[in-house]
Amino acid sequence: MEPEMEDKPLELMNMSGMESQNLDHDLSPKKNTVLKRPSEGNYEKEKEHCIALFDQWSEADQVEFVERLISRMCHYQHGHINSYLKPMLQRDFITALPAQGLDHIAENILSFLDARSLCSAELVCKEWQRVISEGMLWKKLIERMVRTDPLWKGLSERHQWEKYLFKNRTSEVPPNSYYHSLYPKIIQDIETIEANWRCGRHNLQRIQCRSENSKGVYCLQYDDDKIISGLRDNSIKIWDKQSLECLKILTGHTGSVLCLQYDERVIVTGSSDSTVRVWEVTTGEVLNTLIHHNEAVLHLRFANGLMVTCSKDRSIAVWDMASPTDISLRRVLVGHRAAVNVVDFDDKYIVSASGDRTIKVWSTSTCEFVRTLNGHKRGIACLQYRDRLVVSGSSDNTIRLWDIECGACLRVLEGHEELVRCIRFDNKRIVSGAYDGKIKVWDLQAALDPRAPASTLCLRTLVEHSGRVFRLQFDEFQIISSSHDDTILIWDFLNVSTNGQSEGRSPSRTYTYISR
């Protein structure tokens, strides 16, 4: 047997082309080669008889029989069968589901598409277009974006189309075509806002909050309705965000108001008089006064029943806030060798920065020290912390980005000419204010990319303040900043016309408050 196996390849090599083809035919899947007779008149009768027998078998037997038939065919025949089966195996499930009374499933499947894919789906056929239209899928796409993206949410509120969202099908809801045409307009608005940020196009509004003894606005916070500011003249002023008029003045501190934060119930302020005061938002009534620090309270943060304050006395105080009137000291954190200028925290870490050039990280739950971030050459004036990222500003005129988990400095931003006094960031950008009177907008994602050149990181420098910038806050549409020049500036990147002026407003609007 073995010599015969070895001789066969030699025989194949000596065969002519025709003989080789014949051998290939012999080696085809048909194991028992049978000479086929030409089809005769009884083919139709035999075929019908086979089909009748086939119909009597079970599905499993039918499959087995077909498999055996296919195994006896040549490649050419397999190609014909494949062409025949291919369209049978393709199912238009979107069209088939409504026919079975399952429109809601077809709508649910298509609702996961993005805008480009939804446009393509509308062009497939009339039935797909009907499912998209009757399912209001463009409306659902916009609603999904509004739920997940702050920029979309802000636009829906400002441009008044939020009233057509998140409602069941009623006579008040426009047809699907309205939302189809609305989507590209929203995209255009977003592109315009991003271009305004990059190019520095804005509408400027100015609040002059001078009074006899005031020489600066140290802190602020805002929402859609109001701006609350803390002044050097010991007062807290609440401004109407639309009219820019002063609505209320809160007095009680005997020193400058250096820091504040508010929510829907209370305003909490810290002062150079060493106290922390809690005020009722609507009435302005003092609900509580905390006397603990020995020197000026420089910064504070509160959230979810916890408050952290820091002071020129080099300490950090952690407080439990059961209610505005029930606030108790949990722990005092000591470790900095100079004034603690700023604190921030979440459920995992408390982060503090000091004039001693260091950032310290503490456990929120245990208040135990975790690590120190070293790198700044001079004292640190400001920071923000979120997720793993810490961004800090210093009197060495630089901004540093840190990974809080490993303590590594990820990037150093240079550009300010004096102390960086305030800093905020979101998912896209960092905004900083300094004693040089300038506000700088930086590309956060580029700053986190080690390959990005330093020259590309600062997107825009805004120069309007005539004094040191003390505090700022921003969102997708605006920056609001305060300064030693006694002003609060509102930099609006949404309501900007092509000539740089606000649509329906003057390019610069000023309101001056003069105390009586």
Side-chain angles (χ1 to χ4, degrees):
M1 293 292 293
E2 204 168 325
E4 291 177 6
M5 294 287 288
E6 291 174 354
D7 290 341
K8 282 186 178 179
L10 294 174
E11 293 172 7
L12 286 172
M13 290 173 65
N14 295 324
M15 284 180 179
S16 66
M18 183 64 69
E19 291 171 330
S20 178
Q21 289 178 5
N22 291 336
L23 180 61
D24 290 342
H25 184 72
D26 291 339
L27 295 175
S28 67
K30 297 180 291 181
K31 296 177 182 176
N32 300 318
T33 304
V34 179
L35 291 175
K36 298 180 181 177
R37 59 178 173 80
S39 298
E40 298 176 357
N42 60 352
Y43 162 71
E44 290 295 331
K45 187 182 296 184
E46 292 174 351
K47 181 180 72 171
E48 293 300 326
H49 179 64
C50 288
I51 292 173
L53 291 173
F54 183 85
D55 289 340
Q56 296 173 15
W57 301 336
S58 67
E59 289 186 1
D61 290 342
Q62 289 174 343
V63 169
E64 182 188 3
F65 179 72
V66 171
E67 286 176 349
R68 292 191 65 180
L69 282 179
I70 292 173
S71 70
R72 299 175 68 83
M73 293 178 182
C74 68
H75 184 71
Y76 173 75
Q77 291 170 311
H78 290 161
H80 270 281
I81 292 173
N82 183 59
S83 299
Y84 179 74
L85 288 175
K86 196 170 183 179
M88 295 178 68
L89 296 174
Q90 294 173 338
R91 300 293 300 275
D92 182 358
F93 58 91
I94 295 299
T95 301
L97 285 168
Q100 301 294 324
L102 301 173
D103 297 63
H104 61 289
I105 297 179
E107 292 172 9
N108 193 44
I109 292 169
L110 293 179
S111 70
F112 287 95
L113 298 180
D114 59 20
R116 185 184 297 273
S117 302
L118 199 57
C119 281
S120 300
E122 285 184 311
L123 301 176
V124 171
C125 64
K126 290 183 178 180
E127 183 61 22
W128 283 47
Q129 187 180 41
R130 184 195 67 78
V131 171
I132 291 169
S133 177
E134 293 184 3
M136 302 292 284
L137 296 192
W138 283 102
K139 174 175 176 284
K140 291 178 180 177
L141 174 59
I142 294 172
E143 289 173 344
R144 187 166 78 239
M145 297 303 297
V146 169
R147 278 194 300 266
T148 57
D149 191 317
L151 182 53
W152 283 71
K153 180 174 175 56
L155 282 173
S156 73
E157 295 168 350
R158 287 164 172 79
H159 287 174
Q160 303 295 308
W161 41 265
E162 65 169 343
K163 61 187 176 184
Y164 300 121
L165 302 177
F166 305 107
K167 291 183 178 180
N168 294 327
R169 299 182 187 184
T170 64
S171 57
E172 300 177 5
V173 177
N176 187 64
S177 57
Y178 166 80
Y179 301 97
H180 193 170
S181 61
L182 175 62
Y183 190 92
K185 294 176 183 176
I186 298 170
I187 296 300
Q188 186 176 9
D189 285 343
I190 291 172
E191 290 173 350
T192 300
I193 292 167
E194 294 298 324
N196 289 342
W197 276 96
R198 286 193 305 271
C199 301
R201 288 192 296 266
H202 62 273
N203 172 56
L204 187 69
Q205 295 177 276
R206 188 187 308 265
I207 299 175
Q208 296 279 5
C209 29
R210 289 190 297 265
S211 60
E212 291 180 7
N213 300 317
S214 176
K215 295 182 181 179
V217 185
Y218 280 130
C219 53
L220 64 83
Q221 184 183 335
Y222 72 86
D223 56 40
D224 291 339
D225 302 315
K226 61 185 175 295
I227 303 170
I228 301 183
S229 58
L231 279 72
R232 191 174 180 180
D233 69 358
N234 310 347
S235 70
I236 298 120
K237 290 190 172 73
I238 303 176
W239 310 85
D240 183 287
K241 191 162 181 296
Q242 305 307 316
S243 68
L244 308 185
E245 295 180 354
C246 186
L247 302 175
K248 195 174 296 182
I249 303 175
L250 310 183
T251 58
H253 279 297
T254 57
S256 300
V257 181
L258 304 178
C259 54
L260 67 82
Q261 183 185 341
Y262 70 84
D263 61 14
E264 66 280 356
R265 297 186 303 161
V266 297
I267 307 168
V268 183
T269 57
S271 168
S272 60
D273 65 11
S274 307
T275 68
V276 174
R277 286 181 180 253
V278 183
W279 316 73
E280 212 279 332
V281 167
T282 54
T283 65
E285 176 190 358
V286 177
L287 302 176
N288 205 340
T289 302
L290 307 178
I291 302 173
H292 165 75
H293 289 290
N294 298 322
E295 295 189 63
V297 179
L298 301 179
H299 200 250
L300 63 85
R301 302 298 298 166
F302 71 87
N304 303 321
L306 185 71
M307 180 168 68
V308 181
T309 61
C310 61
S311 170
K312 191 177 178 182
D313 65 13
R314 307 182 184 183
S315 73
I316 301 158
V318 182
W319 308 79
D320 288 309
M321 298 180 69
S323 72
T325 56
D326 183 7
I327 303 174
S328 57
L329 184 65
R330 178 195 295 186
R331 186 83 172 264
V332 177
L333 310 181
V334 179
H336 283 293
R337 301 189 309 276
V340 185
N341 293 316
V342 59
V343 289
D344 204 352
F345 73 92
D346 64 9
D347 292 338
K348 189 172 187 181
Y349 294 124
I350 297 170
V351 186
S352 58
S354 166
D356 65 9
R357 310 179 185 182
T358 69
I359 296 169
K360 292 190 180 293
V361 182
W362 319 76
S363 167
T364 303
S365 57
T366 66
C367 293
E368 296 300 320
F369 172 74
V370 177
R371 66 178 58 89
T372 299
L373 309 183
N374 289 298
H376 278 296
K377 303 295 189 295
R378 300 185 66 181
I380 302 165
C382 56
L383 67 72
Q384 183 184 348
Y385 157 55
R386 191 179 69 191
D387 299 328
R388 290 183 64 134
L389 184 63
V390 175
V391 181
S392 59
S394 166
S395 57
D396 64 11
N397 305 349
T398 69
I399 297 162
R400 286 181 179 254
L401 283 65
W402 312 80
D403 184 328
I404 196 170
E405 295 294 349
C406 65
C409 180
L410 306 175
R411 173 75 79 162
V412 180
L413 304 179
E414 297 178 309
H416 281 294
E417 298 164 7
E418 293 186 46
L419 178 149
V420 182
R421 180 66 168 79
C422 49
I423 200 152
R424 304 298 294 170
F425 70 88
D426 62 10
N427 294 327
K428 298 177 185 175
R429 52 185 71 94
I430 302 168
V431 182
S432 59
Y435 277 6
D436 58 12
K438 298 174 182 177
I439 293 172
K440 287 184 177 288
V441 182
W442 311 79
D443 186 332
L444 174 60
Q445 296 307 317
L448 292 172
D449 182 355
R451 300 166 298 179
S455 60
T456 65
L457 303 182
C458 184
L459 301 176
R460 187 59 51 179
T461 300
L462 306 174
V463 185
E464 286 289 346
H465 282 296
S466 59
R468 297 170 169 179
V469 181
F470 284 144
R471 195 61 51 92
L472 62 81
Q473 183 184 341
F474 78 97
D475 56 42
E476 291 81 5
F477 308 102
Q478 62 198 329
I479 302 170
I480 299 186
S481 58
S482 66
S483 168
H484 190 270
D485 63 14
D486 298 332
T487 67
I488 297 170
L489 298 186
I490 303 170
W491 315 71
D492 186 350
F493 296 93
L494 174 63
N495 300 299
V496 182
S497 62
T498 53
N499 62 2
Q501 294 188 0
S502 170
E503 296 176 0
R505 291 182 181 174
S506 60
S508 182
R509 180 179 174 200
T510 302
Y511 180 86
T512 303
Y513 174 78
I514 302 175
S515 64
R516 293 182 174 84

